[in-house]
Structure formats: C-alpha cells, structure tokens
Amino acid sequence: MRIDEERSDDISHAIQTTLLSKAEAAMAWCDVVCLEDYKKGVLCEAFCKELITLARKHGKKVLVDPAA
C-alpha cells in the first residue's frame, strides 16, 4: 500500500536557491537540462526562469515537457 500527500503550491525561495545550487553543480557533467514535474509545484515560473538562465550560462540545451 502507498499513501501520498501532494502539494501543488510553489516551493519556497529557500528551496529554489538550494535546488539551483545543486543543479549548477550537476551541470559540470550533464549535456541537457530537462524540466518536467507534472504540475507538482517544484517548477514554478520563477524557478524555471532562473534554471533556464543558469543552463544557458553553462551552454546546456533545455528541454521542457509541460504538464497538460
């Protein structure tokens, strides 16, 4: 049995900052950044903009799979 509790509100600025830092560290060994979270709140507009900017700064391609 599995019980999940989901939240779809945007993540906090502090969590965004932490995730961006981890994403930037990972960009040293990745080729592509793929954005997809099925509208679960992690990929809020502000976070996506910053992550895309960061990926472009590092010369990475960005793929986006928007939830319908």
Side-chain angles (χ1 to χ4, degrees):
M1 176 162 71
R2 176 178 167 169
I3 299 173
D4 291 330
E5 181 178 325
E6 294 186 5
R7 295 180 60 181
S8 60
D9 50 325
D10 293 351
I11 58 175
S12 70
H13 182 70
I15 293 173
Q16 288 181 41
T17 301
T18 299
L19 291 175
L20 286 168
S21 176
K22 292 181 182 292
E24 185 166 26
M27 286 186 195
W29 54 266
C30 77
D31 297 316
V32 176
V33 175
C34 181
L35 306 179
E36 177 179 21
D37 83 343
Y38 300 101
K39 290 190 163 192
K40 299 299 182 190
V42 174
L43 296 181
C44 60
E45 184 176 348
F47 180 71
C48 286
K49 286 180 179 180
E50 289 190 49
L51 186 56
I52 290 168
T53 298
L54 190 60
R56 287 180 177 159
K57 173 184 160 189
H58 288 275
K60 306 302 178 181
K61 293 181 180 180
V62 178
L63 302 174
V64 179
D65 183 10

